[in-house]
Amino acid sequence: MKKTFLLFIMLFAFYAVKAQNENGTDANPYQKNNEIKLNLISPLFGAVEAGFERHLNKNSSVGISAFIVYDDKKNEDMNYYISPYYRYYFGKKYASGFFVEGFGAFTSIDGKKIYSADRLTFTENKDVYDVALGAGLGWKLVTKKGLVFEANAGYGRLLFNADKTDHDVVAKFGLSIGYRF
């Protein structure tokens, strides 16, 4: 009896999803909804940035990116940030074209630098952790083979510990290449 009931539930769910897709109220089940990306300009800042994005429907997606500094000489203040985001797309194709973005960021930034008379530099607070909120915009091109090309820029403000660092801004710039799967 339990097996028959379970089979009935599975068949009902299958036909409900199939009917929903045929009515056009759901996205194409064969549409590729995931992306991985690598920012090509982050090495200019002595860092690496990679991201993952999940498309919710034709016009919106959520994602997360991580920016990690490996060369302190090129990027003296930022240590890393982890940034979740939400995007809304205005393009005609699925999750592509012009987009606007709202993001948050958990950051690790070096503290204020104090310069002494004998030209020595001291850091007042070694690492300052903070949260930033911001907005951005960009443009995405997706090929038929699933290659993704993206350009974006964003601007955010630190919320809690900006007075303990030399700046209170988080800027995001990207020229990324990736793959949709």
Side-chain angles (χ1 to χ4, degrees):
M1 181 69 173
K2 288 182 182 180
K3 289 182 182 179
T4 307
F5 181 71
L6 185 59
L7 181 61
F8 174 75
I9 294 296
M10 289 173 55
L11 287 172
F12 177 79
F14 172 78
Y15 284 110
V17 169
K18 185 177 177 184
Q20 187 178 23
N21 287 338
E22 288 173 357
N23 291 335
T25 58
D26 199 6
N28 182 349
Y30 302 107
Q31 179 65 46
K32 297 176 181 176
N33 288 323
N34 301 305
E35 286 180 13
I36 54 171
K37 294 175 276 198
L38 185 63
N39 188 343
L40 299 176
I41 64 170
S42 60
L44 298 175
F45 302 108
V48 62
E49 182 177 14
F52 172 80
E53 188 171 345
R54 172 79 178 168
H55 305 292
L56 303 174
N57 57 40
K58 180 184 185 300
N59 294 325
S60 63
S61 68
V62 292
I64 190 163
S65 65
F67 181 90
I68 301 168
V69 174
Y70 61 81
D71 187 358
D72 290 334
K73 292 177 183 163
K74 291 184 179 180
N75 195 331
E76 294 181 8
D77 291 334
M78 181 70 70
N79 298 320
Y80 65 85
Y81 68 72
I82 298 169
S83 178
Y85 57 84
Y86 170 81
R87 288 183 176 168
Y88 187 84
Y89 291 92
F90 296 94
K92 293 180 181 179
K93 294 183 180 179
Y94 190 86
S96 63
F98 178 75
F99 63 84
V100 293
E101 169 183 289
F103 68 88
F106 175 75
T107 64
S108 171
I109 303 171
D110 288 340
K112 282 189 177 181
K113 292 185 176 43
I114 301 168
Y115 301 97
S116 64
D118 54 356
R119 296 185 182 180
L120 294 176
T121 304
F122 299 97
T123 303
E124 185 176 17
N125 300 316
K126 235 4 186 176
D127 289 333
V128 176
Y129 302 100
D130 205 346
V131 175
L133 288 178
L137 50 90
W139 184 78
K140 182 185 289 185
L141 170 72
V142 182
T143 68
K144 291 181 181 180
K145 299 280 187 185
L147 288 176
V148 176
F149 300 96
E150 177 181 297
N152 68 319
Y155 176 85
R157 305 274 299 187
L158 296 176
L159 298 178
F160 303 112
N161 295 319
D163 59 329
K164 296 178 183 175
T165 66
D166 289 333
H167 56 84
D168 60 351
V169 172
V170 172
K172 294 173 60 173
F173 300 102
L175 289 174
S176 302
I177 187 167
Y179 182 70
R180 185 176 283 186
F181 59 97

